[in-house]
Amino acid sequence: MCGILALIHANASETSAASELHEALYLLQHRGQDACGISTCAAGGKIYQCKGNGMAAKVFRDGSRVADLPGYMGIGHLRYPTAGSSANAEAQPFYVNSPYGICFAHNGNLINAPELKQFLDYEAHRHINTESDSELMLNIFANELNETGKARVNDKDIFAALSRMYKRCVGGWACTAMLAGFGLIGFRDSYGIRPVVLGSRPSSNGEGMDWMMASESVALDQRGFTNIIDIKPGQAVIIQKGHQPVFRQVQEQIRYAPDIFEYVYFARPDTVIDGISVHSSRQNMGYKLADTIRRRLSPEDLKDIDAVIPIPETSNTSASCVAQRLNKPYCQGFVKNRYVFRTFIMPGQKAREKGVRRKLNAMRTEFAGKSVLLVDDSIVRGTTSREIVNMAQEAGARKVFFASCAPRITHAHIYGIDLASPSELIAHHRDEESIAKHIGAVRVIFQTLDDLKAACAELSPRPKQEFEVGVFCGSYVTPVQPGYFEHLEKIRGESKKLKVMERAREAVANGSAGDEEIQIATNGVEVDEQGKVIPAARHGSVDEVKINGYGPSNGKPHRQVDEDSTPPRDRMDISLHNFNDFTHDHQG
């Protein structure tokens, strides 16, 4: 899950593109809190860039860095890590100087990444410097565009290069790109999995139109853009400076199946995606969930419920509709601290558990002596749900029922949303009864998949609307190559190791480390056969003897992380001078 942006002013003498993109980053901050960046293009084709790890306020120093990014057009990105590490080098936009100077912002995931990397290495001879599949896609596009052999390209050349790129890449994506001195490009996968919209407004001097693209319509609404349209599956748009947009179907639409998780959780409620209001879809989810609750609970349990309480904030709309349909009081029993991360986005289970209590506080007056029905948008690992149930009980709840607006999540997400490994998903090998026992609730009720799809499809302007729902059933809209899930787990494991080691080093540095964290900081980590990151064996000890590349032969082999092969905690982006690379400790 990432956020993408692009803006071009009608007047090429404008220098405020970065200012508007910076404002828009805050409107899409919910889509990614790991890293962000902006690239702009000024007169003469000069590209400027600022990006790095952290939220928009940190990376741009509360806006003070925007002045370093002149230009009449630019693109922006907000990153949540989906594949690869969290190194500064993987913050976007990405840049390649050949051909023509391309900046690239990508939301999604490629499920044939190993094949693409091999092609780039052995045939295209293009070097890939990160583990990000976004860099892969940029280089595939750059390679195809380079095939023109021209000193300057036109829109037909770009559309043709995109068509060839689409034939190589498999997955779900929405992208914005900028060619130095030329204009902007936006495009979307031929299944319509990831969203991107385009809008316009009159320029500041009334001569011509400004154009903007974004992952969600709210970013355009708030900047005064109207006539907002969705870029269609398989469609691309090119906006040259001083010209109207040119659209082209670069690959035939295979299906029109947006990711249903956008409506369940990720998108803001004031967004419209593919003609479907996120707010209205969540209302429908609430009504349909209430009908399921009525069928699943006994009359005695239903009568016993004193209040319906949402887990803020995504489920607020749905919970109010559940309460209305069940004719029960609706109350805000949890108060949310708005200045912490989304807990699902936090790396590490312990961090998520602590994050729940930092994020929410249960009001005793709303729980004491009551039987409550808690409503959440979904249950992923169960970490958050278990802590919330504990908090309700500590606040005096007599009984706690738990309802999810989404069905049981049983499979990995492969199109740009790193929910969890299948083994980490609470519903992967559990039924409703065992899930309820695990999180401490009397009963757990899940939305049915048919009801979830209907809740969104009923609002669609298209008949027989489809959705990407693979996380709930394992049936994905794109073909999945053999070995991809193993590849995904390998990348996820490497990213997990980096984060565990970084937290351990930070704990040692600030004096709060326990024995395990000290051991990790000293000896590094390894991944056991269950995929769990554990402290590595002490160097030079008998325990470290390897057999055929594995750890001790006690029946539980470990994949050892050699000290020499442990990647650095961070890397800077070498592709373009980046202001943020040099401002970690300096204000000027």
Side-chain angles (χ1 to χ4, degrees):
M1 174 185 66
C2 296
I4 59 172
L5 294 158
L7 172 69
I8 185 166
H9 285 130
N11 185 356
S13 63
E14 283 273 3
T15 59
S16 61
S19 177
E20 293 206 67
L21 289 168
H22 175 249
E23 291 291 331
L25 288 177
Y26 294 97
L27 296 168
L28 297 184
Q29 187 75 80
H30 59 285
R31 297 190 68 86
Q33 301 172 355
D34 187 72
C36 64
I38 292 173
S39 297
T40 61
C41 183
K46 182 74 172 179
I47 292 176
Y48 299 85
Q49 177 176 271
C50 179
K51 65 177 185 176
N53 283 353
M55 297 173 73
K58 174 188 173 185
V59 172
F60 292 94
R61 299 193 177 277
D62 295 319
S64 65
R65 279 295 170 193
V66 172
D68 297 321
L69 302 170
Y72 63 94
M73 68 173 175
I75 63 174
H77 189 269
L78 294 142
R79 181 177 187 266
Y80 169 70
T82 55
S85 74
S86 296
N88 192 51
E90 298 194 3
Q92 296 186 44
F94 280 122
Y95 168 80
V96 290
N97 71 332
S98 176
Y100 315 117
I102 308 170
C103 292
F104 194 83
H106 170 268
N107 173 31
N109 221 38
L110 300 177
I111 61 176
N112 64 334
E115 173 189 324
L116 296 175
K117 182 171 283 191
Q118 186 172 25
F119 165 77
L120 289 168
D121 187 7
Y122 289 96
E123 297 184 46
H125 311 304
R126 297 186 71 94
H127 176 66
I128 301 301
N129 200 54
T130 72
E131 296 300 321
S132 172
D133 55 359
S134 304
E135 189 188 12
L136 289 176
M137 192 172 208
L138 166 58
N139 277 273
I140 293 289
F141 173 55
N143 182 69
E144 297 299 341
L145 195 58
N146 196 49
E147 293 297 314
T148 64
K150 294 182 177 180
R152 297 289 184 269
V153 289
N154 56 37
D155 56 359
K156 294 181 179 63
D157 297 323
I158 296 170
F159 285 134
L162 285 171
S163 293
R164 295 192 296 272
M165 184 199 74
Y166 271 60
K167 291 177 182 177
R168 293 192 182 277
C169 297
V170 181
W173 60 77
C175 303
T176 56
M178 179 175 67
L179 264 65
F182 179 86
L184 299 178
I185 308 167
F187 52 93
R188 189 180 187 188
D189 69 82
S190 53
Y191 299 86
I193 297 170
R194 300 260 65 86
V196 60
V197 294
L198 170 70
S200 62
R201 72 178 181 200
S203 66
S204 57
N205 62 6
E207 298 178 4
M209 303 293 288
D210 299 335
W211 298 90
M212 187 173 186
M213 289 180 276
S215 296
E216 296 186 28
S217 61
V218 63
L220 277 60
D221 290 334
Q222 290 292 302
R223 303 308 306 162
F225 287 81
T226 58
N227 302 315
I228 297 171
I229 60 172
D230 296 283
I231 294 177
K232 299 297 188 292
Q235 188 180 62
V237 59
I238 294 174
I239 313 171
Q240 295 185 58
K241 57 181 180 181
H243 292 73
Q244 291 289 308
V246 178
F247 295 88
R248 183 72 54 83
Q249 197 71 29
V250 294
Q251 187 179 60
E252 182 181 352
Q253 176 179 310
I254 300 174
R255 295 170 72 174
Y256 203 139
D259 187 349
I260 208 164
F261 236 98
E262 292 281 356
Y263 304 98
V264 171
Y265 179 75
F266 292 115
R268 281 178 47 147
D270 46 353
T271 282
V272 177
I273 297 176
D274 292 307
I276 301 172
S277 161
V278 174
H279 175 72
S280 297
S281 71
R282 290 175 184 170
Q283 288 180 313
N284 278 358
M285 290 176 207
Y287 291 132
K288 293 180 184 299
L289 179 59
D291 293 339
T292 298
I293 292 169
R294 196 184 297 276
R295 290 193 303 269
R296 299 296 300 277
L297 293 185
S298 67
E300 292 76 20
D301 282 338
L302 274 174
K303 185 178 180 180
D304 195 33
I305 292 173
D306 297 307
V308 176
I309 298 176
I311 311 305
E313 292 179 325
T314 317
S315 65
N316 288 1
T317 301
S318 298
S320 66
C321 295
V322 169
Q324 180 184 340
R325 184 64 63 94
L326 295 180
N327 196 26
K328 296 290 183 179
Y330 169 81
C331 66
Q332 296 278 353
F334 291 99
V335 177
K336 182 179 180 180
N337 179 354
R338 300 175 187 274
Y339 304 101
V340 294
F341 295 101
R342 280 180 161 186
T343 53
F344 137 68
I345 290 179
M346 287 182 172
Q349 181 159 317
K350 289 184 178 179
R352 283 188 291 273
E353 289 172 354
K354 292 178 180 178
V356 175
R357 291 183 180 265
R358 292 193 190 103
K359 184 177 75 169
L360 298 176
N361 183 52
M363 291 190 288
R364 179 169 291 273
T365 55
E366 304 302 318
F367 288 96
K370 295 180 180 179
S371 175
V372 296
L373 171 62
L374 305 183
V375 178
D376 206 351
D377 51 74
S378 59
I379 303 176
V380 182
R381 296 175 178 87
T383 306
T384 300
S385 304
R386 185 171 61 244
E387 283 298 306
I388 285 170
V389 171
N390 286 340
M391 291 167 64
Q393 292 168 340
E394 290 168 6
R398 179 168 50 86
K399 288 183 182 178
V400 178
F401 297 88
F402 205 103
S404 168
C405 295
R408 293 166 61 241
I409 300 172
T410 54
H411 292 75
H413 196 290
I414 63 173
Y415 303 115
I417 302 172
D418 189 14
L419 290 176
S421 301
S423 61
E424 297 173 319
L425 297 170
I426 191 172
H428 186 60
H429 290 305
R430 290 186 178 95
D431 57 17
E432 288 188 4
E433 184 177 348
S434 58
I435 292 172
K437 183 177 180 181
H438 183 79
I439 69 172
V442 176
R443 288 286 302 276
V444 170
I445 302 97
F446 288 92
Q447 184 93 264
T448 68
L449 182 54
D450 286 343
D451 280 348
L452 176 60
K453 290 190 287 186
C456 300
E458 289 169 1
L459 301 166
S460 175
R462 293 165 297 279
K464 299 181 180 179
Q465 176 69 61
E466 295 182 282
F467 296 96
E468 159 51 36
V469 293
V471 291
F472 305 116
C473 59
S475 177
Y476 301 98
V477 298
T478 67
V480 182
Q481 294 187 344
Y484 175 71
F485 291 104
E486 290 78 7
H487 166 76
L488 194 63
E489 286 305 298
K490 180 181 178 181
I491 291 178
R492 183 182 282 122
E494 292 301 317
S495 178
K496 190 187 299 183
K497 286 186 290 189
L498 285 172
K499 290 172 182 175
V500 168
M501 291 175 66
E502 185 169 353
R503 288 197 300 272
R505 288 166 177 164
E506 288 176 353
V508 170
N510 62 34
S512 62
D515 291 342
E516 183 175 286
E517 289 166 316
I518 293 173
Q519 187 177 351
I520 288 172
T522 304
N523 300 327
V525 295
E526 60 189 23
V527 182
D528 68 14
E529 59 186 353
Q530 283 79 39
K532 183 180 179 182
V533 177
I534 60 175
R538 186 180 300 277
H539 293 293
S541 69
V542 176
D543 290 340
E544 197 190 7
V545 175
K546 299 179 187 177
I547 299 175
N548 293 331
Y550 287 98
S553 55
N554 58 359
K556 295 183 178 180
H558 300 309
R559 292 170 287 179
Q560 183 71 35
V561 182
D562 294 330
E563 184 176 49
D564 292 340
S565 66
T566 300
R569 286 182 294 170
D570 200 5
R571 305 189 312 281
M572 298 304 180
D573 184 0
I574 63 171
S575 65
L576 188 69
H577 175 77
N578 178 24
F579 292 113
N580 199 59
D581 291 350
F582 308 101
T583 56
H584 294 298
D585 301 311
H586 304 284
Q587 296 295 324

